[in-house]
Amino acid sequence: MAARQAYRFALDPTPAQERALRSHAGAARFAWNWGLARCKERYAAEGWWYSAMDLHKLWNAAKKADPALAWWAENSKCAYQEAFRDLDRALGEFTRSKKGERKGRRLGFPRFKKRGRCREAFRFGAGVMRCAGATVILPRMGTVRTHESTRKLARRLENETARILSATVSRTAQRWYVSFTCEVKRSIPERHCRPGSAIGVDLGITTLLTGADDQGAIITVAGPKALRASLRTLRRASRAHSRKARGSARRRKTAARLARIHARVANVRADALHKATSGLARRYETVVAEDLNVAGMTRNRKLARAIADQGFGAGVRMLGYKTAWNGGRLVKADRFYPSSKTCSGCGAVKAKLALSERTYNCEACGLVTGRDLNAARNLLSLAASGAESLNACGGAIRPGTAGHVPMNQEPGTAYSGKTGTAARQREAAA
Ligand SMILES: [Zn+2]
């Protein structure tokens, strides 16, 4: 099976390389704005825009004709080309959203990017891209040192089970990262090594993950200490930040600090999630998890932070492709399935479950159990009934069809309404 996979590394560029990175990010922003201005004109007149190809041609003519654009040669042509592609895609998404063909919240017309107010990023779509040891090789940049070893990807490149398609370079919280989009070949086993095994998984905040398997075993992954520690630091830092006056130098300073802690929390959490989900996918053929309404929940800003930190969508996505790699499958429970409110003992459904209730007390049968565990048990009970019947949107993940795109994607779908799990996160966020 060939699937796309992203490999991301933190960079340690030299000062000269850092200048080049900034210059490229600036070029990408300029190209986006330049292209958007052309597209806006045409959209107003004809209701249509220029394709990435058209923009590229227009740009090639303009950059030679206009001496004010002579600096273009300082950057790889990829930076401009890929920005036009992004713009083309954004305009396409805008029209699809307008026609109601796109799930999720309504998209507005793409906007101009302001220096210092947008993400610094650009992409190489061609050229020499490699990695070795603790370095990556990028067009124009040459050999850039990485913070950690790149051996996982290097090994795959060596034995030709991976091919780099593109490299996105971006800056988060004062740090540069490269993310290689690769085509990775994997041999998928015909059948999972433990056929028939199943587990229900509840992804949470206080515990990273609670699982109940078909043998009655309970699995809890508390998340690394480092995560809890940085979450505490994060809470303190965000309180400190909110006390600073808007527009002040102190506020800028605390904002930068906050961003650094956020990035650290996200990294630590992703790391822990990778470890936990890999283990689950190896041990269980069927994994049942809740299909969370991430796009809908991120509308709540307080919640958005908690979700971004915790990466709920990321956990489910990881389970999706990792179960497929192991010859198993992920069953996504319908968003409206009341996994928290249902008693895993007798099946009684509570009308309400207060946000603060961490234990589930059943009035019908007297069962007393942990809230997360109760949810995990309910999810496990769905394993037998098959994915298709569970998933109202037809989004069931079967090996080899979906879920093996382990790329960082925008939350693809949005739903209105709140699920029981959304409420649980609000509690933790508060
Ligand atoms: Zn009960």
Side-chain angles (χ1 to χ4, degrees):
M1 183 184 86
R4 287 196 175 191
Q5 191 179 341
Y7 287 85
R8 186 169 179 260
F9 305 107
L11 299 176
D12 283 330
T14 63
Q17 284 170 335
E18 170 136 32
R19 276 195 296 280
L21 294 172
R22 279 171 182 252
S23 171
H24 276 73
R29 182 171 46 84
F30 184 90
W32 168 283
N33 289 341
W34 186 90
L36 181 55
R38 306 283 97 68
C39 290
K40 267 196 158 167
E41 284 162 22
R42 188 171 182 193
Y43 193 81
E46 301 168 45
W48 198 241
W49 60 87
Y50 293 110
S51 70
M53 192 82 90
D54 294 339
L55 283 172
H56 188 56
K57 281 183 198 150
L58 287 170
W59 169 251
N60 279 340
K63 76 186 184 190
K64 282 171 200 149
D66 188 351
L69 296 176
W71 50 264
W72 70 267
E74 285 165 27
N75 307 299
S76 160
K77 63 178 192 308
C78 278
Y80 309 96
Q81 233 164 319
E82 297 293 326
F84 295 146
R85 280 196 191 136
D86 288 346
L87 179 59
D88 197 356
R89 199 171 310 130
L91 285 158
E93 289 294 305
F94 160 71
T95 33
R96 287 212 309 129
S97 176
K98 213 173 133 197
K99 283 189 216 150
E101 290 167 3
R102 188 185 182 277
K103 276 188 188 173
R105 76 191 153 83
R106 204 69 178 277
L107 287 182
F109 200 82
R111 291 197 204 170
F112 289 109
K113 294 187 177 188
K114 261 195 194 141
R115 178 187 214 146
R117 310 231 47 181
C118 67
R119 196 170 85 110
E120 283 186 89
F122 64 94
R123 190 164 59 236
F124 292 113
V128 179
M129 297 178 272
R130 271 183 293 135
C131 65
T135 61
V136 293
I137 291 119
L138 295 172
R140 287 292 182 119
M141 307 295 157
T143 305
V144 187
R145 283 184 43 204
T146 54
H147 200 59
E148 67 264 75
S149 162
T150 63
R151 93 177 159 273
K152 261 192 181 166
L153 176 57
R155 209 181 292 143
R156 283 199 168 274
L157 294 175
E158 219 168 275
N159 60 29
E160 294 181 345
T161 52
R163 199 161 60 88
I164 295 176
L165 303 173
S166 67
T168 304
V169 183
S170 63
R171 200 166 80 130
T172 309
Q174 313 298 319
R175 170 142 243 166
W176 288 93
Y177 294 88
V178 63
S179 178
F180 290 113
T181 301
C182 302
E183 191 184 66
V184 178
K185 277 185 224 138
R186 276 172 202 281
S187 47
I188 305 287
E190 282 278 312
R191 190 81 215 263
H192 194 274
C193 63
R194 287 183 61 214
S197 54
I199 188 166
V201 175
D202 183 78
L203 295 154
I205 289 209
T206 42
T207 43
L208 197 64
L209 174 160
T210 307
D213 82 0
D214 55 339
Q215 302 297 311
I218 298 159
I219 288 154
T220 51
V221 181
K225 263 191 190 145
L227 180 68
R228 271 168 285 159
S230 26
L231 278 171
R232 263 198 308 276
T233 322
L234 183 65
R235 270 194 293 275
R236 266 203 307 273
S238 67
R239 270 200 303 271
H241 173 65
S242 61
R243 281 195 298 264
K244 304 287 180 286
R246 272 176 197 281
S248 69
R250 280 189 184 175
R251 187 157 171 117
R252 259 200 311 284
K253 222 183 237 171
T254 52
R257 172 149 187 271
L258 203 54
R260 272 198 306 278
I261 303 168
H262 265 292
R264 173 164 164 73
V265 169
N267 286 345
V268 172
R269 165 133 183 133
D271 220 52
L273 263 181
H274 268 299
K275 282 201 190 100
T277 52
S278 290
L280 287 181
R282 266 198 304 272
R283 272 158 62 201
Y284 298 98
E285 182 178 39
T286 305
V287 178
V288 193
E290 224 158 355
D291 188 8
L292 290 173
N293 175 14
V294 173
M297 287 190 291
T298 43
R299 258 179 236 150
N300 177 326
R301 283 180 65 204
K302 206 168 191 181
L303 218 53
R305 200 198 66 200
I307 289 158
D309 296 343
Q310 302 292 333
F312 283 94
V316 177
R317 203 167 58 232
M318 284 175 196
L319 285 171
Y321 61 81
K322 287 179 183 178
T323 47
W325 288 348
N326 285 277
R329 62 174 189 156
L330 169 71
V331 174
K332 282 203 227 173
D334 189 293
R335 293 171 290 117
F336 300 110
Y337 175 69
S339 65
S340 306
K341 289 180 191 161
T342 307
C343 171
S344 58
C346 69
V349 182
K350 285 188 188 226
K352 249 188 179 168
L353 188 62
L355 304 178
S356 55
E357 286 179 55
R358 294 310 302 172
T359 48
Y360 187 95
N361 296 297
C362 180
E363 286 112 38
C365 74
L367 177 83
V368 178
T369 182
R371 182 181 180 130
D372 298 343
L373 184 59
N374 183 56
R377 285 204 172 115
N378 283 325
L379 289 167
L380 173 67
S381 72
L382 299 179
S385 44
E388 284 77 2
S389 58
L390 295 172
N391 203 315
C393 319
I397 289 189
R398 275 165 240 105
T401 50
H404 53 257
V405 190
M407 314 255 311
N408 246 334
Q409 289 163 327
E410 300 293 322
T413 45
Y415 307 99
S416 57
K418 296 173 191 100
T419 63
T421 322
R424 209 179 320 152
Q425 282 143 15
R426 176 167 308 117
E427 170 206 17

